[in-house]
Amino acid sequence: IEEGKAAVEVRDFDLHTEIADITSILRPQAQTKGLRFAVHVEARTPFRLRGDRQHLRQVLTNLLANAADALTEKVKLSREDGGERFRGTIYVLSAPQERDGRDGVLVAVCDNGDGVPEDIRTKIFEQFFTTKAAGVGTGLGLAMCVDIVKEHGGMLSVTDDEDLGGARFEM
């Protein structure tokens, strides 16, 4: 184990159960903020994965929390201006995906917020970079997520979501 790195506990785990568990924990708080979760796991997605379950839970939880933070502000602003009420949606997708000739799994967290502007997409995964107000975010969450996903042989990226119109984080 490298100095400063948390111990990695590699074992088999059920991806579908982890997604369902995390969203069920976050859903009640999200609903009080005017947000909803939708989850879609393609039937042919492998449900058994090998990796550090706790670390991958951290990544998914962080991505969902970031989406909720972005949408909560948009919901709040729509309530204040008295116009059409915005309903924030966070969508989690899991599907099989092949990369470099190897079978794998794509997990995407998408939302219908304002998305991530092009000019900060390259910076958003850097340590200490944050778009949140001073004292709210540390700028460490997404950097940590990138490290964890890399340790599992994957990658983390951000783009626009074609269906919802907001951000789409894929691992």
Side-chain angles (χ1 to χ4, degrees):
I1 298 172
E2 290 180 44
E3 188 176 325
K5 296 264 183 174
V8 175
E9 195 173 313
V10 176
R11 63 170 80 157
D12 291 342
F13 65 94
D14 185 325
L15 175 65
H16 302 172
T17 299
E18 298 307 321
I19 291 172
D21 185 44
I22 293 165
T23 54
S24 71
I25 290 168
L26 297 176
R27 184 173 278 121
Q29 182 182 11
Q31 287 175 334
T32 64
K33 296 178 178 182
L35 308 178
R36 63 181 167 209
F37 280 107
V39 177
H40 177 77
V41 177
E42 283 195 22
R44 53 192 183 89
T45 303
F47 62 92
R48 300 293 304 168
L49 295 182
R50 185 155 184 80
D52 188 310
R53 177 175 96 38
Q54 284 302 110
H55 285 177
L56 290 170
R57 281 179 67 97
Q58 271 184 288
V59 172
L60 188 54
T61 301
N62 190 300
L63 294 176
L64 290 167
N66 282 352
D69 288 348
L71 294 174
T72 298
E73 186 61 27
K74 192 167 181 174
V75 168
K76 182 181 167 192
L77 291 172
S78 78
R79 287 179 179 164
E80 289 172 358
D81 78 12
E84 186 176 336
R85 195 161 172 198
F86 174 75
R87 178 78 171 171
T89 300
I90 300 170
Y91 181 72
V92 182
L93 164 73
S94 177
Q97 185 177 63
E98 185 182 302
R99 190 179 94 199
D100 299 330
R102 293 180 48 191
D103 290 336
V105 176
L106 166 74
V107 178
V109 175
C110 315
D111 65 59
N112 66 336
D114 295 328
V116 178
E118 282 283 337
D119 61 325
I120 67 166
R121 287 187 188 175
T122 57
K123 299 181 222 173
I124 201 162
F125 297 112
E126 294 176 6
Q127 277 192 346
F128 306 114
F129 180 83
T130 184
T131 58
K132 295 178 181 175
V136 177
T138 62
L140 294 174
L142 287 175
M144 174 206 63
C145 289
V146 167
D147 290 344
I148 290 171
V149 173
K150 280 182 182 177
E151 287 172 6
H152 285 81
M155 52 194 228
L156 184 62
S157 63
V158 63
T159 188
D160 294 326
D161 187 77
E162 292 179 14
D163 296 322
L164 294 177
R168 179 183 180 97
F169 284 83
E170 293 184 347
M171 69 169 161

